Amino acid sequence: MNTEITFKPSIALDHKIILDSLRDSVVSFNKNLELIYFNNSFKERFEIFIGEKLDYNKSLNSYQGIKRFSEYFDTWNYWIERCLLKEKFIEDFQYKLGGKYLHFQIQFIPIIKDDDVEYIQLIITDETIRHQYEDLIRKNVKDCDLCNSEKNFESKTVEEERDEAVELLIENVERLQIVFEGSNDGFWDWNIQKDEIFYSKHYYEILGYRNGEIKSDLFTWQSRIHPEHIDDVIEALHSHLEGKTEQFNKEYKVLTKSGDWKWVLDKGKVAIRDEQNNPLRVAGTLSDISERKKAEEILKESEARFVNIANTMPLMLWMTDNKISATYVNPKTTEFIGEENFAKSFKNFVHQDDISIFSEKFRKLLKDKERFEGEIRIKNKAGEFRWILMQVVPRILETGEFVGLLGVGIDITKRKEIETKLLESETQFNEITSVVAEGIFLIDSNRNLRFANPEFYNLLGYSAEEVLDTKVFEKIYNHNSKVEIDCPINKVLNDEVIVRITHDFFKTVNDDYLPVSFVSSPIKRNGKIIGCVTAFHDITERIEAEEALKRYVEELQFNKELMEENAVEAARLNEMLWDSETRLKELNASKDKFFSIISHDLRSPLTSIIGFAEVMIEDLETLSKEEIKEFTNSIYKSSKNVQNLLENLLQWSRIQTGRIEFNPINFEINNLINDVIALYQVNAARKKITLVNLLEKQYKVNADKFMIDTVLRNLVSNAIKFTPQGGTIKINVEKLDENNLTISIIDSGVGIKEEIIEKLFKIDSHITTKGTDKEKGTGLGLILCKEFVEKHQGKIWVESKFEEGSEFKFTLPLKNEQ
């Protein structure tokens, strides 16, 4: 019988690898249905049924796909409520899909901490295949029973039916022998009417005989019982046959083949009685207790020496008489309990949560004289509960007389706290490997098998005796005698890698090859590989499904290729259309901008030049030198504006047509800033403006020097233009991140209105504003700056407050180290 155990999310790496390779689905979640842990099998099944990706950060009831199972909501909520009430149970669940039923078995395991359910664990097993086989078997049996009942209904007597039942029982008992072969106990079955006793193989082995060497009747059995015990044994047997006792249970000496007397524990129970309550069949087990008896004899002989030794031992030791009154208590026990408390019942010191377990074990100890062993919490003389590892054994003389108890205890409170997490992890492994439909086995570094779960033996047909402590892979992976070369386990143990095989074969006990997929992972301790664990399952059904799917895929392949060709052609045409539309918009915007500049900015200064020139031509003789000088100065300024406009138009058009080459180099930005400041020093001095370079540290950038020079000149020129006399313009450089710099041109000028800021840097917005001394601009300077900065994968922007000044910023990449 499997002991049900649970696990927490913080599991050991070895066990996590195993869980993720299991076919059974494992999941745990808290009271709010928020996921704590799930293995790969659960993730795959969930995403198939729900149609959404499974996420640790979402609760189970938050997925839209859950709605398709709304008819099961009430049942699901009822199951969760049972778990929250600390109930552990198993439910069968079936779901109809495509006209067929899928069957699952779900184990609900509440994980309790501090008397409260901390979280809930589910283990989901796919039972669909098993149900299909059971339905087929039931149909065949039903057909067979119907046929037999029609033939024999009227001919069978009550005695014949009883005889058939007995024969069936004999057959089933013989089958049970297989189960008892793996046990340390011998099995016997006594047919009282025929005076025939059936013995299992291990029964013979306990007495030193080979199978079938002993005559199987009651007289022969009695003849082997020691003369001192024969009367008690026979009396106990008769009492049970007469129905006075629930079980035949006796310890006695029995004669072995070698002539020695061996202590055995014989247990049995009536299996079948007739209508008059007379026993017909008795079945039971025989256990070898020689070692235990020898230990008890040694214990009796060494009791005196024990007392002397116990007084100095760091363990709590005590002895009682047959009335459970203390006859000896060592100093360690006195120190823990307190001498004044010895007169009280021991139950007064046991923790309330442990009292029921303690009472039950203590009752069995006194009734059946079985060893009491366990970890319980005991209150010390200071009133504190401490974890005590306690063992209590009955003191029984050779005659069988009970003379008292011997107990030993050790304070394991600290160790208990340390071992709690480890124990939880270990129990996870035992629980899951015992219930999953995966073959799991562990081998050590010498390739010897150390553990295999039941499914391993079920799938491959071997017995534990055949493969334990053997080089199991030489048996199950013997592919044409190439184990040493091709065996994946060698790769796991030698190269310390996880091996995943999706399709291979394991050899069964019948020399058949079972198609399997498996995962093998190394087990490490202290950085050293001590073995590996392998999980595998039968993929026969998967192979058949894959073959069917392959045929289906081949049928669809041709249509898929045609669709892909059409999709590629459509995508290409769409891309060409998009590029064409985008380019057309850009050309229209450029055309509009060009015509706007030609019609406004270029015509205005030319008109001014022509006007002043006409005045000078017509009135040259009457004009004074000051007037000629003023007209000439105006013509110069207008000509200069035309020159700047034409230069910006030329550069902008070259950018648009791709005729400006982008040649980034590494250079020091500080030097370039100083050059620009020197260039505009005279212009700034005319307006009594101070130009300041705030950069104290040298930075090297990777950029096109001509383009960055143009950007800096345009921004500094604009700053001078919009800064009143006596103002200040500062240039600063800061490191934005590991790869980029931010360059700032800060002025104390007139600032920019918010509605104008939005139109800057846009080709379709023509913004020109006169400076503080009525200076004119072309409206293209900032457009060029934006084009040049974006060539460097940077960005440019402005931060400004009206009438307080502006700060133009742009980013550049640092020096390229390659």
Side-chain angles (χ1 to χ4, degrees):
M1 181 175 64
N2 294 328
T3 303
E4 192 169 75
I5 53 179
T6 59
F7 72 96
K8 284 189 176 181
S10 54
I11 60 176
L13 179 60
D14 302 353
H15 299 162
K16 184 179 185 303
I17 294 171
I18 294 175
L19 297 182
D20 280 341
S21 66
L22 300 179
R23 180 180 294 176
D24 284 4
S25 301
V26 181
V27 62
S28 60
F29 48 85
N30 61 20
K31 296 177 182 178
N32 298 323
L33 302 184
E34 295 171 340
L35 290 171
I36 298 175
Y37 173 78
F38 55 81
N39 69 348
N40 287 340
S41 176
F42 178 81
K43 180 176 183 295
E44 293 171 359
R45 283 199 173 102
F46 183 89
E47 292 177 354
I48 290 173
F49 278 90
I50 302 302
E52 300 176 47
K53 290 291 184 181
L54 188 59
D55 187 354
Y56 267 117
N57 298 320
K58 294 177 65 175
S59 63
L60 289 176
N61 59 3
S62 65
Y63 292 87
Q64 292 297 319
I66 290 290
K67 294 180 180 178
R68 72 179 67 169
F69 298 95
S70 58
E71 60 184 293
Y72 303 104
F73 282 178
D74 291 341
T75 303
W76 169 259
N77 293 332
Y78 170 66
W79 288 341
I80 297 301
E81 288 176 2
R82 289 174 63 185
C83 272
L84 295 177
L85 294 174
K86 307 177 187 177
E87 183 180 351
K88 188 182 301 182
F89 57 94
I90 297 176
E91 293 288 349
D92 291 325
F93 174 77
Q94 69 177 19
Y95 177 69
K96 192 172 184 180
L97 181 65
K100 296 184 179 179
Y101 281 99
L102 305 178
H103 298 267
F104 299 93
Q105 184 186 80
I106 309 176
Q107 296 187 49
F108 290 82
I109 307 172
I111 308 305
I112 301 172
K113 183 178 181 181
D114 297 331
D115 200 32
D116 188 24
V117 176
E118 184 177 9
Y119 61 92
I120 297 172
Q121 174 182 306
L122 305 185
I123 300 177
I124 306 169
T125 303
D126 191 338
E127 296 282 287
T128 304
I129 301 288
R130 183 178 67 81
H131 274 268
Q132 291 174 350
Y133 278 116
E134 287 179 353
D135 290 343
L136 180 60
I137 291 172
R138 279 194 292 268
K139 181 179 183 302
N140 292 337
V141 171
K142 182 178 179 181
D143 294 344
C144 181
D145 288 346
L146 180 61
C147 180
N148 290 337
S149 62
E150 291 173 352
K151 292 180 180 179
N152 301 322
F153 178 74
E154 296 180 355
S155 61
K156 288 184 180 179
T157 65
V158 174
E159 291 78 7
E160 289 174 336
E161 290 180 354
R162 187 189 67 193
D163 290 343
E164 288 182 1
V166 170
E167 292 298 326
L168 180 60
L169 176 62
I170 293 174
E171 181 182 351
N172 290 334
V173 167
E174 291 171 349
R175 291 174 181 171
L176 285 176
Q177 182 181 5
I178 299 172
V179 177
F180 284 96
E181 290 300 323
S183 170
N184 290 326
D185 297 335
F187 171 69
W188 54 267
D189 173 46
W190 177 27
N191 186 326
I192 298 177
Q193 289 181 317
K194 296 181 180 180
D195 192 18
E196 293 179 351
I197 305 177
F198 165 78
Y199 297 121
S200 70
K201 177 182 176 182
H202 198 62
Y203 187 101
Y204 289 103
E205 292 175 351
I206 290 175
L207 303 182
Y209 291 94
R210 289 183 297 176
N211 196 8
E213 277 193 303
I214 303 175
K215 189 176 180 182
S216 56
D217 55 33
L218 183 63
F219 176 78
T220 304
W221 171 74
Q222 293 177 352
S223 67
R224 295 196 307 273
I225 301 175
H226 195 281
E228 295 179 0
H229 302 154
I230 183 66
D231 293 337
D232 289 340
V233 174
I234 298 302
E235 181 181 353
L237 178 61
H238 285 169
S239 294
H240 178 61
L241 294 178
E242 293 168 5
K244 297 178 181 179
T245 59
E246 293 184 359
Q247 185 184 47
F248 166 64
N249 188 324
K250 205 66 181 175
E251 294 179 357
Y252 58 88
K253 287 182 180 179
V254 64
L255 186 65
T256 65
K257 182 178 181 179
S258 63
D260 298 324
W261 293 102
K262 175 179 286 191
W263 276 100
V264 295
L265 171 61
D266 206 347
K267 294 182 180 180
K269 193 170 184 178
V270 174
I272 301 177
R273 293 181 182 270
D274 61 14
E275 297 176 355
Q276 289 75 38
N277 203 33
N278 296 317
L280 300 178
R281 299 292 292 272
V282 186
T285 60
L286 187 75
S287 305
D288 184 350
I289 61 172
S290 301
E291 294 299 325
R292 194 190 82 190
K293 284 295 184 179
K294 289 179 183 179
E296 291 170 358
E297 292 174 2
I298 294 172
L299 179 63
K300 179 182 176 182
E301 294 172 358
S302 62
E303 195 168 275
R305 287 177 294 172
F306 160 78
V307 172
N308 293 330
I309 297 172
N311 284 335
T312 60
M313 292 184 69
L315 308 175
M316 291 181 279
L317 297 166
W318 65 91
M319 294 177 65
T320 73
D321 58 19
N322 58 359
K323 295 184 179 179
I324 321 302
S325 297
T327 59
Y328 169 77
V329 178
N330 77 335
K332 191 71 176 177
T333 306
T334 304
E335 177 185 343
F336 184 85
I337 296 292
E339 190 171 354
E340 68 278 5
N341 293 322
F342 286 140
K344 299 179 182 178
S345 170
F346 194 73
K347 292 183 180 180
N348 293 335
F349 303 96
V350 180
H351 193 280
Q352 182 179 357
D353 294 342
D354 300 335
I355 193 68
S356 60
I357 298 176
F358 170 78
S359 299
E360 176 63 20
K361 288 189 174 184
F362 203 74
R363 183 189 65 80
K364 293 185 68 176
L365 169 68
L366 298 179
K367 179 182 178 182
D368 301 331
K369 305 303 181 291
E370 295 181 357
R371 175 191 295 267
F372 170 93
E373 183 174 354
E375 298 175 354
I376 58 175
R377 284 162 285 187
I378 304 296
K379 183 166 60 177
N380 61 15
K381 63 181 181 181
E384 301 173 341
F385 281 101
R386 307 286 292 177
W387 277 104
I388 305 298
L389 175 60
M390 183 182 298
Q391 294 190 31
V392 183
V393 296
R395 297 165 56 225
I396 301 175
L397 301 180
E398 186 177 356
T399 59
E401 180 185 359
F402 172 68
V403 295
L405 301 175
L406 169 64
V408 59
I410 182 171
D411 189 339
I412 60 168
T413 304
K414 291 184 179 180
R415 192 194 78 189
K416 188 77 173 177
E417 294 171 354
I418 296 173
E419 289 179 348
T420 298
K421 290 185 179 180
L422 177 62
L423 179 60
E424 291 173 351
S425 180
E426 292 295 333
T427 54
Q428 297 164 16
F429 177 75
N430 294 330
E431 163 70 11
I432 296 173
T433 57
S434 65
V435 299
V436 298
E438 301 277 341
I440 300 174
F441 60 96
L442 285 81
I443 64 174
D444 59 23
S445 57
N446 295 321
R447 279 67 171 176
N448 292 325
L449 181 67
R450 292 305 179 198
F451 167 81
N453 73 334
E455 192 64 12
F456 171 91
Y457 300 111
N458 180 45
L459 290 174
L460 300 180
Y462 294 98
S463 65
E465 291 79 7
E466 290 178 297
V467 291
L468 278 177
D469 296 323
T470 68
K471 299 188 185 310
V472 69
F473 249 76
E474 293 184 3
K475 293 186 177 183
I476 69 174
Y477 203 79
N478 188 4
H479 292 1
N480 299 323
S481 302
K482 294 182 179 179
V483 171
E484 293 302 322
I485 299 174
D486 300 329
C487 178
I489 297 301
N490 291 335
K491 189 173 183 62
V492 175
L493 295 176
N494 297 334
D495 300 338
E496 303 182 14
V497 297
I498 298 175
V499 174
R500 298 180 182 274
I501 306 297
T502 58
H503 189 175
D504 211 323
F505 298 91
F506 281 173
K507 191 175 182 181
T508 68
V509 70
N510 299 322
D511 291 334
D512 296 325
Y513 284 94
L514 178 72
V516 297
S517 67
F518 65 91
V519 178
S520 295
S521 175
I523 301 174
K524 288 186 178 181
R525 294 294 183 270
N526 299 323
K528 181 181 179 182
I529 292 184
I530 63 170
C532 78
V533 58
T534 301
F536 70 94
H537 64 268
D538 183 352
I539 61 170
T540 303
E541 294 180 8
R542 192 195 80 186
I543 293 173
E544 294 173 354
E546 287 176 351
E547 291 176 352
L549 180 61
K550 182 179 179 181
R551 290 192 297 271
Y552 178 72
V553 169
E554 289 175 352
E555 293 173 1
L556 295 178
Q557 186 63 34
F558 179 74
N559 292 334
K560 176 185 175 184
E561 291 175 356
L562 287 178
M563 292 175 64
E564 288 177 348
E565 290 177 1
N566 293 335
V568 170
E569 180 64 19
R572 187 182 68 82
L573 293 175
N574 285 336
E575 184 177 356
M576 291 175 61
L577 181 61
W578 174 260
D579 290 343
S580 176
E581 182 180 358
T582 302
R583 183 60 181 164
L584 182 59
K585 289 181 179 179
E586 292 175 352
L587 289 174
N588 284 333
S590 300
K591 177 198 68 176
D592 295 343
K593 178 63 179 176
F594 181 80
F595 288 153
S596 173
I597 292 171
I598 292 300
S599 63
H600 182 272
D601 291 348
L602 188 59
R603 182 174 58 185
S604 178
L606 286 175
T607 301
S608 176
I609 292 171
I610 293 170
F612 282 117
E614 286 179 350
V615 171
M616 290 180 68
I617 291 172
E618 294 175 356
D619 302 324
L620 180 62
E621 296 178 356
T622 62
L623 294 175
S624 64
K625 290 184 178 181
E626 288 76 13
E627 288 177 330
I628 294 174
K629 184 176 181 181
E630 182 182 351
F631 285 179
T632 304
N633 187 47
S634 297
I635 292 173
Y636 170 77
K637 289 182 178 180
S638 297
S639 299
K640 193 67 177 178
N641 285 338
V642 172
Q643 181 186 13
N644 291 337
L645 175 61
L646 291 176
E647 184 178 343
N648 285 341
L649 279 172
L650 178 61
Q651 291 190 18
W652 177 76
S653 64
R654 290 173 66 193
I655 292 173
Q656 300 306 307
T657 56
R659 286 179 291 166
I660 291 184
E661 294 185 0
F662 178 61
N663 297 312
I665 61 172
N666 293 328
F667 64 90
E668 293 182 350
I669 190 65
N670 197 24
N671 294 338
L672 183 59
I673 291 173
N674 288 333
D675 290 344
V676 173
I677 290 176
L679 179 65
Y680 286 97
Q681 194 67 50
V682 175
N683 290 350
R686 288 175 183 169
K687 296 180 71 172
K688 299 180 182 180
I689 294 174
T690 304
L691 295 177
V692 181
N693 183 1
L694 299 178
L695 182 60
E696 296 180 354
K697 181 180 177 180
Q698 284 285 7
Y699 288 105
K700 281 192 175 182
V701 296
N702 181 252
D704 186 307
K705 193 171 183 180
F706 164 74
M707 291 186 180
I708 302 307
D709 178 63
T710 302
V711 173
L712 286 171
R713 284 192 289 105
N714 269 284
L715 295 179
V716 171
S717 175
N718 282 349
I720 294 173
K721 176 180 176 182
F722 293 105
T723 300
Q725 293 193 4
T728 302
I729 298 174
K730 301 175 183 179
I731 303 177
N732 192 24
V733 178
E734 295 178 340
K735 193 171 183 180
L736 177 63
D737 52 42
E738 294 183 357
N739 301 315
N740 296 281
L741 293 177
T742 299
I743 301 174
S744 306
I745 291 81
I746 309 162
D747 64 55
S748 57
V750 296
I752 307 172
K753 293 181 180 180
E754 192 170 330
E755 60 269 19
I756 295 179
I757 291 177
E758 297 177 357
K759 298 179 180 180
L760 296 178
F761 308 111
K762 293 184 178 179
I763 185 66
D764 55 350
S765 299
H766 183 204
I767 304 298
T768 58
T769 307
K770 292 185 178 181
T772 55
D773 284 351
K774 308 300 181 180
E775 300 99 327
K776 293 183 179 180
T778 67
L780 278 179
L782 292 180
I783 304 300
L784 284 173
C785 291
K786 180 175 182 294
E787 296 280 357
F788 285 158
V789 170
E790 289 180 349
K791 280 284 187 180
H792 294 79
Q793 305 299 316
K795 63 177 183 176
I796 184 169
W797 71 99
V798 61
E799 299 172 1
S800 179
K801 289 187 177 180
F802 188 62
E803 296 184 351
E804 293 185 16
S806 302
E807 184 174 351
F808 282 81
K809 296 182 177 181
F810 65 95
T811 61
L812 282 180
L814 281 166
K815 172 185 175 183
N816 188 350
E817 298 295 339
Q818 296 181 351

